[in-house]
Amino acid sequence: MTGVAAMEPMLPDLDPGLGDQVLSLVEKSSSFSGSLNASLKASVGDIVRALNCYYSNLIEGHDTHLADIERAMRSDYSKEPKKRDLQLEARAHIEVQRMIDRGEMPFPALSAEGIRWIHREFCDRLPDNLLRIDDPVTGETIRMIPGELRTRHVKVRLHVAPDPGSVPALLARFVQAYSSPMLSRTQRILGVGAGHHRLAWIHPFMDGNGRVMRLQSHAVLKELGIGSELWSVSRGLARQVGRYKELLQAADEPRRGPLDGRGSLTESGLAEFCRFFLDVCIHQIDFMRSLLDPAEFTNRVETWAKEEVRAKRLPKGAWRLLREAILVGEFPRSRATDLTGYQERQARTVLSDLVDKGLLVSDTPKGPVRLGFPSTVIERWLPGLYQSNKPGRG
């Protein structure tokens, strides 16, 4: 059996550099979350959930195109079995994150029940093909049970995961360490990065651990008032995936000598991973804030819309409705006449065209509309959002 002491330390010492990063993250997340109206936040949240899913899957080696993810959310699945499975996987990820974003997670993110809930909700939505996995030790094909902690030994790259019988105790220590009332707010935020690694180290499930880790980190950040549906940790991790995996592995190493903390594992390796994780969060907030700068975003959409009108792919008057959705947020369909200056029938035609193209969306057929982000406009409206083959800092 693997004792809980084998996972120590749970947090690195809070040096001035880490403290400054935490402070920067708090300040940036706070100012960003208040910069958009509620309806635009909801629409951006839809595209960011797809973004988070896309990049999280990419980390796992599953490249699902944005258009296929979009179709999956409309229950429009490919007839090709492999592509259909990936679409269902993408939809599963988005639906679980949407529940987290809406506060529908029934357990705290820092609880064994919460971690198992994420795994169960995600895996319950997967096709049976993706639940059948090969045991890395025996080579036997087994069916994974959603939400069930692993009962077999596993090895992930160089890391030999703890004995399966130790997983419940290790999860209990994980929860106690990162939710302790003795922790300061700064330590709790630092603990999101540290916990991301330690959950990977425990490897509580036979498969799906990476997605659970990233969704759980997102949920913890939300509970701390740092994370939001406006930015994606997974995007930053995927764009530096080599570094991400390298630092995860480095933090698995044993203590590097008498000056490397007091636990069984390397404290310096854990600190380095926490610095990386915080840096990723900060840069993703900066990136999304720059994309959604009100003046710049409005200008990009206006330029695009006028080009589309000139090319006769959009009706005249379309920009006025899009501008209202950007500036005000949600507005009733009856406003289309005043906004366009057209007669009711013509204004309704313009509105219907935008709704049909997904540029305006509504929760009900006759309800108010807000801005939509169909895959066809993402690169023009939000340039650089999807560039998995061009790693960098953005």
Side-chain angles (χ1 to χ4, degrees):
M1 297 288 283
T2 306
V4 295
M7 191 168 52
E8 300 293 334
M10 302 304 288
L11 279 172
D13 281 343
L14 186 62
D15 62 40
L18 284 170
D20 288 345
Q21 281 184 291
V22 170
L23 179 61
S24 177
L25 176 58
V26 171
E27 291 175 344
K28 288 175 182 288
S29 66
S30 177
S31 61
F32 181 37
S33 65
S35 64
L36 300 176
N37 64 63
S39 295
L40 188 53
K41 275 185 182 180
S43 293
V44 171
D46 288 339
I47 193 60
V48 170
R49 278 185 285 274
L51 174 79
N52 212 14
C53 153
Y54 170 83
Y55 278 110
S56 191
N57 283 353
L58 203 62
I59 290 170
E60 303 300 327
H62 295 180
D63 190 356
T64 309
H65 297 297
L66 177 58
D68 290 327
I69 296 174
E70 188 177 61
R71 284 192 288 271
M73 298 310 293
R74 299 196 303 264
S75 300
D76 178 10
Y77 300 109
S78 172
K79 293 181 181 179
E80 182 185 332
K82 185 175 181 180
K83 182 178 285 189
R84 176 186 171 87
D85 285 351
L86 292 178
Q87 284 182 294
L88 288 166
E89 178 185 57
R91 180 167 180 158
H93 191 289
I94 290 171
E95 288 181 348
V96 175
Q97 186 176 331
R98 185 164 54 198
M99 285 192 286
I100 292 170
D101 288 341
R102 292 178 177 176
E104 296 171 2
M105 186 173 176
F107 306 103
L110 280 170
S111 69
E113 296 86 356
I115 293 165
R116 294 181 68 172
W117 177 87
I118 292 172
H119 189 267
R120 182 171 56 253
E121 290 292 334
F122 175 68
C123 293
D124 269 342
R125 291 167 166 78
L126 295 181
D128 196 62
N129 286 341
L130 295 184
L131 293 177
R132 297 193 179 279
I133 57 174
D134 294 330
D135 186 310
V137 177
T138 67
E140 176 189 0
T141 298
I142 60 173
R143 189 184 187 281
M144 184 172 58
I145 299 175
E148 183 178 280
L149 300 178
R150 64 179 170 86
T151 58
R152 295 168 179 252
H153 293 274
V154 295
K155 180 180 180 182
V156 185
R157 295 183 295 278
L158 299 179
H159 175 54
V160 178
D163 294 335
S166 304
V167 170
L170 291 168
L171 279 179
R173 171 57 183 150
F174 172 92
V175 171
Q176 185 275 329
Y178 297 119
S179 61
S180 169
M182 302 299 292
L183 296 179
S184 67
R185 177 164 167 76
T186 298
Q187 288 175 313
R188 287 177 182 275
I189 295 169
L190 179 62
V192 183
H196 190 87
H197 175 269
R198 290 313 194 235
L199 194 57
W201 186 87
I202 296 170
H203 201 85
F205 308 103
M206 282 300 296
D207 196 22
N209 292 278
R211 291 181 187 82
V212 170
M213 287 156 45
R214 290 183 286 277
L215 283 166
Q216 193 264 353
S217 292
H218 174 76
V220 176
L221 286 167
K222 286 271 295 180
E223 289 181 359
L224 290 171
I226 302 297
S228 83
E229 56 193 331
L230 299 178
W231 58 277
S232 163
V233 177
S234 291
R235 182 182 184 277
L237 297 176
R239 287 175 60 78
Q240 299 185 65
V241 66
R243 184 67 173 154
Y244 172 47
K245 292 181 177 180
E246 173 189 326
L247 290 176
L248 277 174
Q249 184 171 301
D252 290 340
E253 295 175 2
R255 186 181 180 203
R256 298 168 183 169
L259 302 180
D260 190 15
R262 298 181 179 180
S264 300
L265 300 178
T266 168
E267 183 178 325
S268 58
L270 183 60
E272 191 171 8
F273 181 80
C274 289
R275 277 190 285 271
F276 168 77
F277 189 89
L278 290 167
D279 190 53
V280 163
C281 292
I282 291 166
H283 277 84
Q284 289 310 302
I285 293 174
D286 286 342
F287 173 73
M288 289 302 296
R289 184 166 189 166
S290 68
L291 275 190
L292 294 168
D293 174 80
E296 292 294 329
F297 177 67
T298 302
N299 183 61
R300 285 195 299 271
V301 178
E302 181 179 13
T303 300
W304 172 87
K306 290 181 176 179
E307 289 175 5
E308 293 296 295
V309 169
R310 284 196 297 270
K312 298 183 178 179
R313 291 188 291 265
L314 277 183
K316 292 180 180 179
W319 163 238
R320 296 168 192 168
L321 299 184
L322 294 173
R323 179 177 59 192
E324 185 75 358
I326 293 171
L327 299 179
V328 176
E330 196 172 67
F331 64 91
R333 294 170 188 249
S334 58
R335 288 273 291 140
T337 302
D338 292 337
L339 290 168
T340 60
Y342 297 155
Q343 295 295 319
E344 183 180 349
R345 184 173 180 178
Q346 187 179 1
R348 193 164 55 241
T349 299
V350 176
L351 178 67
S352 295
D353 187 81
L354 295 178
V355 171
D356 289 344
K357 289 181 168 67
L359 299 166
L360 292 177
V361 297
S362 177
D363 294 330
T364 61
K366 295 184 179 181
V369 295
R370 64 182 184 274
L371 196 67
F373 288 86
S375 59
T376 51
V377 303
I378 292 298
E379 190 51 37
R380 288 294 303 276
W381 291 13
L382 300 171
L385 198 63
Y386 288 88
Q387 289 187 350
S388 61
N389 61 336
K390 297 178 182 179
R393 298 289 287 175

